């Protein structure tokens, strides 16, 4: 699948950005990637081990505070599109655009609309577009993920995590968001909790597509502020992200929890 758009959703703290970063790294091995950090609390650049110079939020401030010329708001829109295009920064393995924050805060409806237009325009130039969405359900209510090929819902193996995943999937259907496939990923799973997780998921009409095991090395990376993409090649979490890739792009693939979890023992 080329020109595929993949969005990752999940509550804060579930490890969504770490999975997004590792998936971006995996995809960059097979094609060109546009990575989009759509979370105002931008963590994706750090997870990828890069530094961005300009965010969409900063671009918005520059345009909003510029003098209004004779063409009025139309010229502002065009200026915003140009500025956002310039915020797409190129790195060796991927290009990256970061939402960031505006100085004054407030509603992101206008900026979301502009970034959607830029994504629509630029994403056709890449094999893969990966969107690390805002935590929770807010990005769906604003329809910033409308028109994605793959929606990956990431949750921790708790009852609240399962219920949130169920709500995300239900809301995507209620808002008639154009999503071709939805995958449910359980993160930070241990052998002891897997049976309980499976039972709770079944009770909420969910099936876990990929189990990502808890790995202390990932937790240590996050504590010490190290980019997660620098995790060892033999990492069980990296192996699980490879499974996510296989699950998405190879219909016959299976998710081997035991094979992954055994590496953490």
């Amino acid at each position: 699948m080329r020109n595929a758009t993949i969005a990752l959703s999940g509550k804060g703290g579930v490890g969504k950005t770490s999975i997004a970063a590792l998936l971006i790294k995996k995809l960059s091995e097979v094609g060109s990637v546009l990575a989009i950090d759509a979370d105002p609390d931008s963590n994706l650049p750090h997870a990828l081990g890069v530094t961005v110079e300009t965010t969409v939020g900063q671009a918005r401030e520059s345009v909003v505070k510029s003098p209004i010329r004779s063409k009025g708001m139309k010229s502002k829109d065009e200026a915003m599109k140009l500025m956002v295009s310039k915020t797409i920064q190129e790195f060796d393995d991927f290009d990256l655009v970061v939402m960031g924050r505006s100085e004054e805060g407030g509603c992101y409806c206008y900026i979301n609309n502009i970034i959607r237009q830029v994504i629509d325009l630029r994403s056709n130039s890449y094999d893969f577009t990966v969107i690390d969405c805002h935590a929770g359900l807010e990005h769906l209510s604003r329809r910033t993920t409308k028109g994605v090929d793959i929606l990956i819902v990431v949750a921790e193996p708790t009852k609240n995590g399962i219920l949130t995943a169920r709500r995300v999937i239900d809301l995507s259907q209620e808002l008639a968001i154009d999503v071709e496939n939805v995958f449910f990923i359980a993160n930070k799973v241990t052998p002891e909790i897997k049976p309980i997780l499976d039972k709770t998921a079944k009770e909420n009409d969910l099936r876990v597509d990929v189990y990502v095991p808890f790995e202390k090395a990932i937790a240590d990376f996050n504590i010490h502020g190290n980019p997660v993409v620098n995790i060892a090649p033999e990492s069980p979490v990296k192996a699980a992200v490879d499974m996510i890739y296989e699950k998405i792009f190879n219909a016959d693939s299976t998710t081997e929890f035991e094979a992954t979890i055994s590496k953490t023992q």
Side-chain angles (χ1 to χ4, degrees):
M1 181 189 297
R2 295 299 179 178
N3 298 126
T5 299
I6 304 166
L8 291 92
S9 173
K11 291 178 63 177
V14 300
K16 169 178 59 67
T17 297
S18 293
I19 291 176
L22 289 169
L23 183 59
I24 289 166
K25 184 175 181 180
K26 174 67 177 181
L27 292 170
S28 70
E29 297 172 1
V30 296
S32 58
V33 181
L34 173 62
I36 300 170
D37 188 346
D39 190 340
D41 186 19
S42 305
N43 292 311
L44 185 59
H46 184 75
L48 290 168
V50 299
T51 302
V52 297
E53 298 178 357
T54 307
T55 69
V56 176
Q58 292 169 337
R60 175 187 181 275
E61 294 301 315
S62 176
V63 172
V64 168
K65 293 179 179 180
S66 65
I68 299 178
R69 302 187 183 277
S70 59
K71 292 184 180 180
M73 187 55 67
K74 182 178 180 180
S75 65
K76 292 267 187 178
D77 285 346
E78 293 302 318
M80 188 65 201
K81 292 176 187 177
L82 178 61
M83 288 293 291
V84 172
S85 293
K86 290 182 177 179
T87 65
I88 299 178
Q89 299 180 56
E90 298 179 358
F91 298 96
D92 291 340
D93 298 328
F94 53 84
D95 292 350
L96 174 64
V97 58
V98 175
M99 174 77 81
R101 295 180 180 273
S102 63
E103 294 177 5
E104 299 176 359
C107 181
Y108 269 80
C109 299
Y110 173 74
I111 197 171
N112 282 340
N113 181 56
I114 296 298
I115 197 171
R116 277 199 303 272
Q117 295 179 42
V118 174
I119 291 169
D120 290 341
L121 179 64
R122 292 295 299 270
S123 62
N124 288 333
S125 302
Y126 298 86
D127 295 317
F128 309 102
T129 299
V130 180
I131 309 171
D132 183 15
C133 297
H134 192 285
L137 308 178
E138 191 173 22
H139 65 285
L140 288 174
S141 64
R142 290 172 178 169
R143 298 196 178 194
T144 56
T145 56
K146 185 176 182 181
V148 301
D149 298 294
I150 305 294
L151 174 62
I152 298 176
V153 181
V154 182
E156 286 185 313
T158 64
K159 184 172 183 178
N160 284 339
I162 296 294
L163 293 176
T164 297
R166 179 72 267 172
R167 288 196 296 270
V168 169
I169 294 171
D170 290 344
L171 186 56
S172 69
Q173 296 170 346
E174 292 171 11
L175 295 177
I177 295 174
D178 185 14
V179 178
E180 185 173 331
N181 289 295
V182 178
F183 293 90
F184 175 45
I185 308 301
N187 193 25
K188 305 177 185 179
V189 179
T190 62
E192 295 79 14
I193 205 168
K194 182 181 179 291
I196 302 172
L197 167 65
D198 288 339
K199 180 176 181 293
T200 306
K202 185 177 181 179
E203 291 172 347
N204 288 276
D205 296 322
L206 287 175
R207 182 192 69 186
V208 179
D209 290 293
V210 177
Y211 301 88
V212 180
F214 172 80
E215 183 179 1
K216 186 176 182 299
I218 294 288
D220 290 343
F221 265 51
N222 290 329
I223 290 172
H224 296 290
N226 296 322
V228 70
V229 291
N230 291 340
I231 199 72
E234 63 274 15
S235 160
V237 169
K238 183 180 180 301
V241 172
D242 289 346
M243 290 181 189
I244 295 173
Y245 170 84
E246 293 296 330
K247 187 74 175 181
I248 292 173
F249 296 104
N250 296 285
D252 295 331
S253 65
T254 58
T255 57
E256 300 279 350
F257 177 80
E258 289 76 12
T260 307
I261 204 74
S262 64
K263 297 181 182 180
T264 67
Q265 304 305 303

